């Protein structure tokens, strides 16, 4: 574990880029070989929109990254936060447990909580809608976030770094895992249901997360997790649905051409609110 932490403490930007690009390429290939759904779409054209949002997310995170480093250095230097308290109270705790707790807590604040709040606060939901408008969910959907949402999620991650008292190495490890796991659980890949079920007891599996992308409530408001599935189980937001019955997208933006227009997507947060068409779907 010490070797892993040393690596992530000073991981080069080129390596982080390789993790992002390598993940997309790997799951993109698997989608060709064993697709869950055989979409009738031009995969390259669909990816173009999502890669644009991926690039805007990268730029925003790069420009704001210094805040994560400053927050981490302050927390560690002042022994502030959950991990720092654990380190003082349990100095002999295994590094593996220390890292696992740190990554899990960052996953809660930076992913689950951010995601949950976005679904509960109307102004934040408008930014998050861009992610849900994708009617062909695949691995490129993972980073389909409006620039405004990228800022929102960064703020939650920053909050998590301070509350958790996270060293830089664990932040970098968490972000790397978050990218790959998000690509994995959005990937359009067929996994035997029993295997997917067992995976979902630990991490967010593809079938588990796809439920969140069903186009109507109440499914849209379930399965908020990104890395670990434990948070949805603890807060009772876990749900299941046969992947063969899923309809991707969101009922308030059903127009496929509108959802494939970059100009339209960028304007979504500033559109008039559209109430959901189904408040309690039993589909």
């Amino acid at each position: 574990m010490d070797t892993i932490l040393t690596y992530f403490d000073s991981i080069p930007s080129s390596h982080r880029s390789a993790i992002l690009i390598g993940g997309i390429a790997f799951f993109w290939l698997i989608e060709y070989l064993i697709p869950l759904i055989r979409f009738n779409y031009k995969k390259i054209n669909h990816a173009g929109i999502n890669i644009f949002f991926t690039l805007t997310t990268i730029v925003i995170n790069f420009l704001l990254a210094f805040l994560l480093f400053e927050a981490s250095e302050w927390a560690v230097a002042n022994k502030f936060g959950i991990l720092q308290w654990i380190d003082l109270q349990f100095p002999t705790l295994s590094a593996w447990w220390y890292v696992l707790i740190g990554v899990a807590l960052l996953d809660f604040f930076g992913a689950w909580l951010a995601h949950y709040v976005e679904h509960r606060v109307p102004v934040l939901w408008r930014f998050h809608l861009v992610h849900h408008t994708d009617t062909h969910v695949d691995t490129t959907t993972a980073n389909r976030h409006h620039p405004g949402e990228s800022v929102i999620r960064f703020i939650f991650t920053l909050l998590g770094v301070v509350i958790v008292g996270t060293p830089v190495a664990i932040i970098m490890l968490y972000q790397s895992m978050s990218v790959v796991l998000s690509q994995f659980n959005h990937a359009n890949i067929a996994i035997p249901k029993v295997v997917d079920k067992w995976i979902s007891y630990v991490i967010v599996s593809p079938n588990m997360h796809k439920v969140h992308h069903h186009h109507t409530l109440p499914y849209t408001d379930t399965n908020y997790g990104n890395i670990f599935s434990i948070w949805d189980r603890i807060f009772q937001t876990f749900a299941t649905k046969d992947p063969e019955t899923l309809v991707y997208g969101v009922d308030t933006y059903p127009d496929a051409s509108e959802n494939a227009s970059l100009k339209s997507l960028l304007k979504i947060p500033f559109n008039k609110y559209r109430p959901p068409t189904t408040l309690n779907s039993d589909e």
Side-chain angles (χ1 to χ4, degrees), residues 187-207:
N188 179 38
I189 55 179
I191 297 177
K193 292 180 181 178
V194 65
V195 175
D196 189 280
K197 179 180 178 180
W198 280 104
I199 291 174
S200 72
Y201 282 120
V202 181
I203 62 174
V204 179
S205 65
N207 288 355

Side-chain angles (χ1 to χ4, degrees), residues 239-275:
T240 60
K241 185 173 176 60
D242 188 334
E244 296 176 4
T245 66
L246 295 174
V247 178
Y248 297 141
V250 62
D251 57 353
T252 55
Y253 282 83
D255 188 338
S257 60
E258 182 181 22
N259 299 336
S261 166
L262 183 58
K263 181 179 179 180
S264 295
L265 292 173
L266 288 171
K267 290 169 58 179
I268 283 180
F270 313 104
N271 292 342
K272 182 180 179 181
Y273 175 71
R274 301 182 185 183

Side-chain angles (χ1 to χ4, degrees), residues 125-251:
W125 168 244
R126 295 187 183 192
F127 285 96
H128 185 51
L129 264 170
V130 171
H131 184 70
H132 277 272
T133 57
D134 198 336
T135 54
H136 301 93
V137 176
D138 64 18
T139 193
T140 67
T141 308
N143 293 299
R144 179 187 171 110
H145 298 302
H146 189 281
E149 181 180 7
S150 296
V151 173
I152 293 165
R153 288 192 169 235
F154 180 89
I155 291 172
F156 274 89
T157 301
L158 183 64
L159 175 68
V161 167
V162 174
I163 294 175
V164 180
T166 323
V168 170
I170 295 180
I171 296 174
M172 295 297 103
L173 174 59
Y174 158 71
Q175 290 190 328
S176 298
M177 290 179 64
S178 180
V179 165
V180 175
L181 266 295
S182 184
Q183 291 169 347
F184 168 64
N185 59 47
H186 283 88
N188 179 38
I189 55 179
I191 297 177
K193 292 180 181 178
V194 65
V195 175
D196 189 280
K197 179 180 178 180
W198 280 104
I199 291 174
S200 72
Y201 282 120
V202 181
I203 62 174
V204 179
S205 65
N207 288 355
M208 175 184 168
H209 188 71
K210 297 298 196 313
V211 174
H212 181 77
H213 280 274
H214 188 56
H215 69 139
T216 58
L217 293 170
Y219 299 101
T220 310
D221 288 347
T222 62
N223 299 359
Y224 298 106
N226 185 38
I227 297 178
F228 298 108
S229 62
I230 186 175
W231 304 119
D232 282 303
R233 296 178 186 278
I234 289 175
F235 295 104
Q236 299 181 9
T237 52
F238 177 79
T240 60
K241 185 173 176 60
D242 188 334
E244 296 176 4
T245 66
L246 295 174
V247 178
Y248 297 141
V250 62
D251 57 353

Side-chain angles (χ1 to χ4, degrees), residues 24-36 187-190:
I24 291 177
F26 175 75
F27 292 117
W28 182 292
L29 175 61
I30 301 300
E31 287 177 339
Y32 270 113
L33 299 176
I34 49 170
L36 174 64
N188 179 38
I189 55 179

Side-chain angles (χ1 to χ4, degrees), residues 33-50:
L33 299 176
I34 49 170
L36 174 64
I37 300 175
R38 294 192 178 277
F39 292 127
N40 181 23
Y41 74 147
K42 293 183 178 179
K43 197 171 177 68
I44 294 294
N45 291 350
H46 169 260
I49 292 287
N50 294 345

